[in-house]
């Protein structure tokens, strides 16, 4: 293994082999188009193989005991493309398997700075023959279609007869995890072979799906370096291309096999199978011609550029420093700036949630990428825009106005068969609008606003204007919806949804005023804009005057309390042990809902209201969702509960590295990883973006000595450095005469390229002792 700063590396050894699924997700590599799980090169043992292409899926029928109008009839499930990572080894006829023989050394290392997965294994076969295997794997960030592996074997102690088989394999078996509703459906043999092409040490397979009408092509090109007495061969079947090397390896010799792969998928009415095979063969052969070292150099250069903005320095705890870099690495590689691709809830790291895109993307991932990789955020929003026609059709099917975007989807259609927590989660439409408004505010991308942005804002504003209604008191209500808290469903006036809808309505009205020509294209007239503003001004914000707190939804604070004292640790997560009938009627909160509203809309609540609300809902929130810790941590920091905020940040950032929810094997929780950045930047950094200018009201817990992060703001990189005594704001890359205005603790500052600005840290507010959590549910921290 190469020498490197351990604060940039994630390491797993033979002691972690009982955590295979988790390790495969943690070590997944991706470039937003292609994703490879961090499986062992030899393919066994394996918890879940996975070679994913963004958007590649198969369609399956949904069955209902009782059907109903508007119920989705079909659902999409992510499937694996052919796996090109496999390099199998036989030692004197015995397969390399870390579960057999004697394992002297085994280590996998994810290098976050270089963007590669390294592996070193020294193993003695049951027959007594020792080999040392090294490999380096990458998924190219600059080359959309390309992934590569460089694999080496040595015989350190004596001659060894070897057989090496490098496979491109389709239709690998995936384990069914039907015991958990959050797991994916498994479709056996989803790919039907169409073309196989073999040309010496290179070849391609082309398959199609039976129901989703997609065609996928994968190519491999090999470059072996072996002693002259080794022989090679290649063969192909419908589902496999195999390149083989055989011979006796002497001490001091080595065999190196570089393997270059390229992938593409298109609708079946796109390129022909032969044309698609030629495209991927061209890319694989070009990668081979350039060589593995060139791919590594390109990868390092791409990551150096990305880390300039994405890196977060956290002095005081090396474990959490590595963890936040791990989080940012997976956010960096989850999306692409080119085209119109979005980011599923698990990225391309596993098949959890069937590989679906959920509101997690707009709610937790894009608020990070808008500031560290705005081009990727733009690409994800363009993907939503590309599927706007389906959202318009869905609204018409449900006899509603405007557009209704799906709760769960891959191809643009609604895939959630449980409508009370799916279709009724209408806030996803306002989440998309919110992401548009944040992106435009942070970048000044007026062209995007006049085009796709306005289309999205207007279509979603029309939904709220038509769905909501006025009562005799002149208030505007949104009823029968489900907010972020999935332990409540079909409620009236969910506060988060209402405030998000209000922002949507006002944002659409403002955008129409800025771009009247584009509004004319969409048929927006002044009367419609007036109606949007009126509905926003009259929006109901439920409040319980008796208890002095806002209500998560109308009547929530009057529901029966949950018996937390009588709920054992083994009863969590509650959704696996209690019927929704019980959960829905009690004051028990799965994930931050009203607290999330206070994070998104800080100016809508006074400091005293935030303190009262936070204390009330902290005692009722069980965090059965990985989405919860981050917003709770942001508000805890704002209210001066810094130890609690630190422990909530720790829970968010370690969600996958320590498999806190026991679901990392199905893929990473990208929302939790994004939430970790938000917990630092909005929590301890005190950053808010609900005003014309960015504002900061920072405070650090004792366990953080220094916190430094960067934000892209209108094309410039703003570097913020916080210590116990002062906050420093600077523009390290900006040309002369460039400046940015911002707020620091109520003071308006101008930061120029020539001179950083420093200010003392504001005092930490005192709102009394930390409010209690439900029995046994306080975050443990470290």
């Amino acid at each position: 293994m190469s020498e490197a700063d351990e604060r940039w590396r994630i390491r797993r050894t033979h002691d972690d082999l009982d955590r295979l699924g988790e390790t495969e997700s943690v070590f997944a590599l991706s470039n937003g188009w292609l994703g490879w799980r961090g499986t062992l090169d030899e393919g066994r043992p394996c918890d879940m193989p996975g070679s994913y292409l963004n958007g590649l899926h198969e369609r399956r029928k949904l069955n209902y005991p009782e059907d109903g109008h508007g119920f989705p009839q079909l659902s999409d499930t992510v499937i694996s493309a052919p796996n090109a990572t496999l390099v199998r080894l036989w030692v004197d006829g015995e397969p390399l398997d870390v579960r057999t023989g004697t394992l002297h050394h085994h280590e996998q290392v994810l290098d976050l700075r270089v963007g590669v997965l390294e592996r070193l294994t020294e193993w003695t076969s049951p027959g007594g023959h020792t080999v040392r295997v090294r490999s380096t794997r990458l998924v190219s960030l600059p080359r959309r279609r390309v992934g590569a592996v460089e694999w080496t074997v040595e015989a350190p102690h004596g001659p060894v007869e070897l057989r090496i088989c490098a496979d491109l394999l389709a239709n690998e078996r995936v384990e069914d995890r039907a015991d958990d509703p959050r797991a994916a459906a498994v479709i056996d043999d989803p790919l039907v072979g169409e073309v196989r092409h073999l040309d010496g040490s290179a070849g391609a397979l082309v398959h199609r799906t039976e129901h989703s009408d997609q065609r996928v092509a994968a190519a491999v090109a090999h470059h072996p370096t072996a002693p002259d007495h080794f022989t090679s061969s290649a063969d192909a079947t419908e589902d496999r291309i195999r390149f083989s090397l055989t011979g006796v390896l002497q001490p001091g010799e080595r065999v190196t096999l570089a393997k270059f792969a390229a992938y593409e998928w298109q609708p079946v009415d796109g390129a022909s199978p032969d044309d698609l095979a030629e495209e991927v063969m061209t890319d694989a052969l070009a990668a081979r011609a350039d060589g593995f070292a060139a791919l590594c150099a390109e990868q390092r250069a791409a990551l150096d550029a990305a880390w300039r903005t994405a890196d977060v320095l956290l002095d005081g705890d090396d474990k959490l420093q590595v963890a936040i870099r791990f989080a940012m690495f997976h956010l960096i590689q989850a999306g692409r700036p080119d085209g119109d691709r979005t980011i599923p809830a698990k990225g391309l790291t596993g098949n959890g949630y069937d590989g679906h895109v959920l509101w997690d993307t707009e709610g937790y991932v894009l608020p990070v990428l808008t500031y560290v990789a705005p081009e990727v955020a733009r690409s994800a929003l363009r993907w939503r825009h590309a599927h706007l026609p389906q959202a318009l059709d869905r609204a018409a099917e449900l006899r509603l106005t405007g557009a209704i975007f799906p709760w769960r989807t891959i191809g643009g259609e609604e895939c959630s068969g449980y409508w009370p927590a799916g279709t009724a989660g209408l806030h996803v439409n306002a989440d998309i609008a919110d992401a548009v408004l944040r992106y435009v505010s942070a970048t000044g991308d007026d062209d995007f606003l006049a085009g796709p942005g306005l289309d999205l804002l207007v279509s979603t504003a029309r939904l709220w204007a038509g769905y909501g209604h006025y009562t005799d008191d002149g208030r505007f209500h949104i009823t029968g919806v489900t907010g972020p808290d999935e332990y409540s469903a079909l409620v009236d006036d969910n506060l988060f949804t209402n405030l998000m809808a209000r922002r949507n309505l006002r944002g659409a009205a403002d955008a129409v005023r800025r771009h009247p020509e584009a509004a004319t294209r969409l048929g927006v007239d002044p009367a419609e804009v007036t109606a949007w503003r009126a509905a926003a001004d009259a929006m109901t914000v439920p409040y319980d005057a008796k208890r002095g707190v806002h209500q998560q939804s109308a009547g929530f604070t009057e529901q029966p309390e949950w018996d937390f004292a009588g709920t054992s640790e083994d009863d969590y997560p509650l959704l696996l042990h209690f019927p929704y009938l019980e959960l829905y009627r009690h004051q028990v909160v799965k994930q931050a809902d009203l607290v999330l509203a206070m994070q998104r809309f800080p100016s809508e609540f006074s400091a005293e209201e935030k303190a009262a609300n936070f204390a009330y809902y902290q005692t009722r929130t069980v965090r059965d969702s990985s989405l919860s810790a981050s917003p709770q941590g942001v508000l805890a920091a704002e209210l001066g509960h810094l130890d609690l905020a630190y422990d909530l940040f720790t829970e968010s950032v370690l969600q996958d590295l320590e498999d806190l929810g026991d679901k990392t094997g199905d893929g990473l929780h990208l929302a939790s990883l994004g939430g970790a950045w938000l917990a630092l930047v909005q929590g301890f950094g005190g950053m808010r973006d609900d005003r014309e200018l960015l504002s900061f009201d920072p405070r650090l817990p004792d366990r953080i000595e220094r916190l430094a992060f960067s934000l892209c703001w209108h094309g410039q990189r703003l570097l913020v450095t916080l210590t116990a005594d002062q906050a420093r704001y600077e523009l390290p890359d900006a040309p002369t005469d460039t400046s940015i205005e911002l707020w620091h603790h109520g003071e308006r500052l101008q930061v120029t390229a020539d001179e950083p600005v420093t200010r003392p840290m504001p005092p930490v507010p005192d709102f009394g002792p930390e409010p209690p959590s439900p029995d046994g549910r306080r975050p443990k921290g470290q």
Side-chain angles (χ1 to χ4, degrees), residues 196-445:
R196 60 180 183 269
H197 176 71
L198 190 63
D199 183 6
S201 60
L205 297 175
V206 181
H207 290 76
R208 61 174 173 82
T209 59
E210 289 193 83
H211 305 294
S212 62
D213 296 327
Q214 295 179 322
R215 177 173 287 129
V216 58
V220 286
H222 301 90
H223 183 266
T225 304
D228 292 341
H229 54 271
F230 270 71
T231 61
S232 64
S233 63
D235 63 86
T237 66
E238 183 178 90
D239 281 350
R240 189 186 74 189
I241 289 176
R242 169 166 285 183
F243 177 76
S244 301
L245 291 167
T246 58
V248 176
L249 192 66
Q250 301 292 334
E253 295 180 331
R254 66 174 58 180
V255 174
T256 297
L257 180 62
K259 186 177 187 181
F260 304 88
Y263 292 83
E264 184 64 88
W265 78 260
Q266 291 185 8
V268 292
D269 58 1
S272 71
D274 289 329
D275 288 344
L276 209 56
E278 184 176 350
E279 287 183 31
V280 293
M281 279 288 285
T282 298
D283 279 3
L285 291 171
R288 183 174 71 177
D290 291 337
F292 192 80
L295 295 187
C296 288
E298 292 176 356
Q299 191 83 338
R300 176 61 187 262
L303 278 169
D304 282 347
W307 281 122
R308 190 171 295 115
T309 302
D311 191 21
V312 176
L313 296 178
L314 194 162
D315 290 344
D317 191 318
D318 285 349
K319 179 179 179 180
L320 296 187
Q321 173 68 87
V322 175
I324 189 60
R325 282 178 170 154
F326 167 82
M328 298 310 296
F329 174 80
H330 277 287
L331 293 177
I332 289 169
Q333 66 167 10
R336 294 196 64 77
D338 52 329
D340 55 357
R341 295 288 167 180
T342 192
I343 301 172
K346 298 288 187 179
L348 300 176
T349 68
N351 69 3
Y353 298 117
D354 284 301
H356 288 159
V357 179
L358 292 95
W359 76 287
D360 304 36
T361 301
E362 286 80 17
Y364 288 80
V365 176
L366 296 194
V368 181
L369 294 179
T370 293
Y371 294 111
V372 301
E375 302 86 357
V376 178
R378 187 179 195 271
S379 177
L381 291 171
R382 287 181 58 84
W383 180 87
R384 285 292 191 185
H385 182 258
H387 293 290
L388 178 56
Q390 291 142 298
L392 294 168
D393 289 345
R394 178 63 172 162
E397 179 185 27
L398 298 178
R399 301 180 180 234
L400 296 172
T401 56
I404 294 183
F405 283 90
W407 185 249
R408 294 176 60 154
T409 191
I410 296 178
E413 289 84 13
E414 179 61 75
C415 292
S416 173
Y418 185 60
W419 70 270
T423 299
L426 291 181
H427 69 83
V428 64
N429 301 281
D431 296 321
I432 294 168
D434 180 58
V436 169
L437 294 170
R438 179 179 295 104
Y439 167 77
V440 172
S441 175
T443 62
D445 189 346

Side-chain angles (χ1 to χ4, degrees), residues 26 119 177 221 252 331 432 457 459 489 533 541 556 682 708 720 758:
V26 166
R119 182 259 185 100
R177 305 170 191 262
L331 293 177
I432 294 168
L457 291 171
S459 61
R533 292 197 185 278
V541 180
F556 179 85
Q682 293 193 341
V720 180
T758 61

Side-chain angles (χ1 to χ4, degrees), residues 181 418 421 486-488 575 578-585 590:
Y418 185 60
E486 294 165 2
Y487 285 170
S488 298
L575 79 161
F578 292 90
Y580 279 115
L581 181 66
E582 278 294 280
L583 297 171
Y584 286 167
R585 70 185 190 90
K590 179 183 181 184

Side-chain angles (χ1 to χ4, degrees), residues 595-610:
V595 170
L596 180 62
M598 294 193 294
Q599 177 189 3
R600 294 283 181 86
F601 301 94
S603 300
E604 298 286 345
F605 304 87
S606 70
E608 292 72 23
E609 287 173 337
K610 290 176 184 177

Side-chain angles (χ1 to χ4, degrees), residues 590-729:
K590 179 183 181 184
Q591 62 209 62
D593 190 310
L594 190 140
V595 170
L596 180 62
M598 294 193 294
Q599 177 189 3
R600 294 283 181 86
F601 301 94
S603 300
E604 298 286 345
F605 304 87
S606 70
E608 292 72 23
E609 287 173 337
K610 290 176 184 177
N613 289 340
F614 183 78
Y616 188 88
Y617 289 94
Q618 182 69 17
T619 64
R620 293 160 174 83
T621 302
V622 296
R623 297 192 327 286
D624 278 351
S625 167
S626 61
L627 303 182
S628 195
S630 171
Q632 288 179 268
V634 170
L635 265 295
E638 180 176 346
L639 296 169
H641 306 306
L642 296 184
D643 287 339
L644 176 61
Y646 189 86
D647 292 342
L648 285 161
F649 158 67
T650 299
E651 178 174 292
S652 189
V653 79
L654 295 179
Q655 182 70 37
D656 289 313
L657 283 176
E658 296 192 353
D659 197 11
L660 298 181
D662 197 30
K663 294 300 297 175
T664 298
D666 292 341
L668 301 180
H669 299 77
L670 291 193
S672 186
L673 300 181
W677 186 91
L678 294 171
L680 286 177
V681 173
Q682 293 193 341
F684 303 131
M687 187 272 279
R688 298 293 182 267
D689 56 7
D690 63 326
R691 303 162 70 179
E692 181 182 353
L693 305 178
L694 287 177
S695 64
F696 297 86
D697 191 3
R699 67 283 316 266
L700 291 184
D702 293 338
R703 286 177 280 183
I704 297 180
E705 298 168 6
R706 179 179 63 143
L707 175 64
F709 54 86
S710 294
L711 301 166
C712 287
W713 184 255
H714 290 263
Q716 302 300 326
R717 180 168 73 97
L718 172 66
L719 175 60
V720 180
T721 304
L722 307 174
T723 63
D725 299 324
Q726 71 175 23
R728 176 185 175 96
Y729 306 97

Side-chain angles (χ1 to χ4, degrees), residues 755-767:
E755 187 174 357
V757 175
T758 61
R759 286 294 185 272
M761 291 286 275
V764 176
D766 182 7
F767 287 98

